[in-house]
Amino acid sequence: ELTKLPNIGPELARLLNGFEELKALGAEITFLRLKARNPDSCFHKLTALEGAVQGVCKTQLTTERRAQLREFFDGLPKK
């Protein structure tokens, strides 16, 4: 069950198609799919996805990985 993963609450779990897909696609591609349906998706959702992939709380992501995710997020077109 997705809600047993770190950072994944009922709302985010409802938007995902399962952990195997999240793991296969990775946080960035999964986030792009979510953002296409919900343009207000924020950086925190991206870090939550990455934390779930890694099996850690999003606050435990390495500084380097957070910087990579920030660069990805900041490079996305604005609404």
Side-chain angles (χ1 to χ4, degrees):
E1 185 175 313
L2 285 168
T3 56
K4 292 182 180 178
L5 295 171
N7 316 304
I8 307 296
E11 180 183 336
L12 187 51
R14 192 173 37 81
L15 299 173
L16 298 173
N17 292 324
F19 178 66
E20 293 305 317
E21 182 175 295
L22 170 60
K23 190 174 178 182
L25 295 176
E28 291 95 331
I29 299 300
T30 302
F31 181 78
L32 288 175
R33 289 181 171 192
L34 292 177
K35 193 161 177 62
R37 290 184 282 169
N38 183 0
D40 292 329
S41 293
C42 64
F43 179 69
H44 296 287
K45 192 170 284 184
L46 176 59
T47 59
L49 292 170
E50 180 61 25
V53 168
Q54 291 188 28
V56 300
C57 180
K58 65 182 183 178
T59 60
Q60 295 177 312
L61 295 173
T62 65
T63 303
E64 179 181 349
R65 185 60 179 138
R66 284 184 70 79
Q68 292 169 344
L69 293 171
R70 174 54 74 184
E71 185 176 340
F72 170 80
F73 183 82
D74 289 347
L76 295 174
K78 305 302 177 222
K79 294 188 217 178

